[in-house]
Amino acid sequence: MTPRTARGRRPGAPDTRAEVLTAARASFAEKGFRGTTIRAVAASASVDPALVHHYFGTKDDLFVAALEIPVDPRAVLAPVVAAGPDGAGERLLRTFLSVWDDPEIQVRLLAVVRSVLNEDGGRLLKDGFIPVVVGPVLAQLVKDRPEVRVPLVASQIVGLIVTRYVVALPPMAQMPAEDVVARVGPVLQHYLTGDLA
Amino acid sequence: MTPRTARGRRPGAPDTRAEVLTAARASFAEKGFRGTTIRAVAASASVDPALVHHYFGTKDDLFVAALEIPVDPRAVLAPVVAAGPDGAGERLLRTFLSVWDDPEIQVRLLAVVRSVLNEDGGRLLKDGFIPVVVGPVLAQLVKDRPEVRVPLVASQIVGLIVTRYVVALPPMAQMPAEDVVARVGPVLQHYLTGDLA
């Protein structure tokens, strides 16, 4: 728990947390989720690995923090999962829209989406965000075969993000949230619990 | 039909067509689909508007040519539409995959998708490609309310493009085409002819 003070900083100085986060962001961007270790991030920030754990928890938590998204999807999705698979498609969508339709949150999420898609071709989405952050949560909702169902859910959610928020395609961008829930909710339910071929 | 020869080129010289296309691309990129006119493209390329029509047909045709996509979606989709709404979701998807899964075509389509999403934030998708190129074709398949159903179809197709091709999210990227058809086809059918709220 004792940070190194090689650069003369005091242990736990206010900028230590920011430096760890900067090192983590650089590592995730360069090496992806799987290629990043707490140990390497700690070394890069000249602190003890235990301090990284102390500040950020697990590597998953550090990843969520490094994404700089204004919400933790795992916390947001917890009540959706707690209510069980029945009607989960609509609840999932309603929760997703309540976060994304908030203008202040949306502008920050869009910056993350653009950066992930442009800079690393979506690698952090592919090897971090979907399998590590949202996958295990959504997997609790599916009937079977989470490794197929969760990515199918992701395919429709990603399509909504691009058409409703990134491109603002009419009328997807202007569609009242409850209309989106009514029209797209059954699709998510199909992917979560319907009969797959 | 007589091109201007202000720059000393002969009428219909081989590079005239290329110059019109370059002018068209610049105009679509800068002013979007709606802001572009055949007249302005012709002026920019120093040719008569009739020559643009002669080479490229309508403004829609010029737009498809300027996109530099290796297929004309209107021609590809014609047989899907001709067979009517029953089973159209699966046929549409099978046709889409037969084009996109071709490695040579895919690399060129990906370049277009990346350029459209990165450079103009998707404006050409929003005001040109979906409403002008594929919209009128798909509208022939829907039960009612094409202005809502076609963009819903687009939301799932765009999500497939991003997850299967741009990001290559497992297992979307590796899923056999017939599995995608079986799993996602019913979703497109729902958007085309199902009960919307």
Side-chain angles (χ1 to χ4, degrees), chain B residues 170-195:
Chain B
M172 299 306 296
Q174 298 79 21
M175 198 177 283
E178 277 308 309
D179 288 354
V180 178
V181 168
R183 289 159 182 169
V184 183
V187 168
L188 299 191
Q189 191 68 44
H190 163 68
Y191 289 147
L192 288 170
T193 61
D195 282 337

Side-chain angles (χ1 to χ4, degrees), chain A residues 3-13 15-17 19 45-47:
Chain A
R4 293 175 199 162
T5 54
R7 294 192 211 155
R9 284 185 280 95
R10 279 178 302 171
D15 60 347
T16 303
R17 194 178 182 284
E19 286 189 26
S46 305
V47 300

Side-chain angles (χ1 to χ4, degrees), chain A residues 45-113:
Chain A
S46 305
V47 300
D48 194 275
L51 188 73
V52 177
H53 284 297
H54 173 69
Y55 276 148
F56 294 104
T58 65
K59 181 170 118 174
D60 298 7
D61 298 324
L62 178 64
F63 177 64
V64 172
L67 282 175
E68 294 190 279
I69 44 180
V71 293
D72 186 333
R74 299 169 303 182
V76 170
L77 291 174
V80 174
V81 170
D86 284 354
E90 294 200 355
R91 288 200 316 279
L92 173 59
L93 204 47
R94 199 172 284 120
T95 299
F96 163 82
L97 292 166
S98 72
V99 172
W100 269 89
D101 283 356
D102 179 309
E104 208 166 303
I105 298 180
Q106 183 184 131
V107 71
R108 294 175 63 187
L109 290 175
L110 273 176
V112 175
V113 166

